Amino acid sequence: QIQVTESGGELVQAGGSLRLSCAASPGVTFRTYAMAWYRQAPGKERELVAKITKDLETTYADSVQGRFIISRDNPNKKVFLQMSSLKTEDSAMYYCKATIPGVPQMYGDLEYWGSGTLVIVSA
């Protein structure tokens, strides 16, 4: 069982920056996890914001490309989301997801979600 905990969400003005953190515990094999950030605004579906593989390959939603950067710190079992040039439409609950690779012919990938951290961007 993996516990995923997000932090760093707060109220920020449009145009500002914010860094979200996500910690996985115990995360003994954290370096093998794929990590991702999702967000969900009121009345909207949860959407992928950014993801990073164990090989440091990154993917971003078009809406955040060039403004957000995802990174990971394997020794400390953390992943970060650096957000810049924030817009009011970035306001949402941000969730971190850890995907642990499965074992072929035994079980598939396992996913663990955090409870979220709230980001509010004011005009």
Side-chain angles (χ1 to χ4, degrees):
Q1 185 76 11
I2 301 297
Q3 185 172 0
V4 178
T5 306
E6 306 94 336
S7 62
E10 63 181 59
L11 173 65
V12 62
Q13 286 191 328
S17 298
L18 202 58
R19 189 174 86 152
L20 305 183
S21 297
C22 170
S25 178
V28 175
T29 56
F30 179 82
R31 58 180 174 78
T32 68
Y33 301 175
M35 300 296 296
W37 286 97
Y38 286 74
R39 67 185 180 187
Q40 187 169 19
K44 295 188 176 181
E45 294 188 353
R46 190 173 297 190
E47 63 175 356
L48 175 67
V49 175
K51 62 182 180 181
I52 185 167
T53 70
K54 63 180 179 63
D55 298 319
L56 304 183
E57 297 172 342
T58 58
T59 304
Y60 296 93
D62 289 343
S63 59
V64 306
Q65 182 76 47
R67 299 188 298 121
F68 291 10
I69 298 174
I70 188 171
S71 62
R72 63 190 298 159
D73 177 2
N74 287 341
N76 290 302
K77 306 169 186 177
K78 291 185 177 181
V79 65
F80 304 101
L81 186 67
Q82 180 66 49
M83 306 187 292
S84 304
S85 302
L86 283 162
K87 305 176 181 179
T88 55
E89 51 263 43
D90 294 319
S91 297
M93 185 70 81
Y94 283 72
Y95 298 91
C96 181
K97 183 182 77 171
T99 301
I100 301 173
V103 177
Q105 300 183 344
M106 291 187 65
Y107 58 88
D109 293 350
L110 302 175
E111 297 183 346
Y112 295 91
W113 291 84
S115 58
T117 186
L118 183 61
V119 173
I120 301 175
V121 183
S122 63

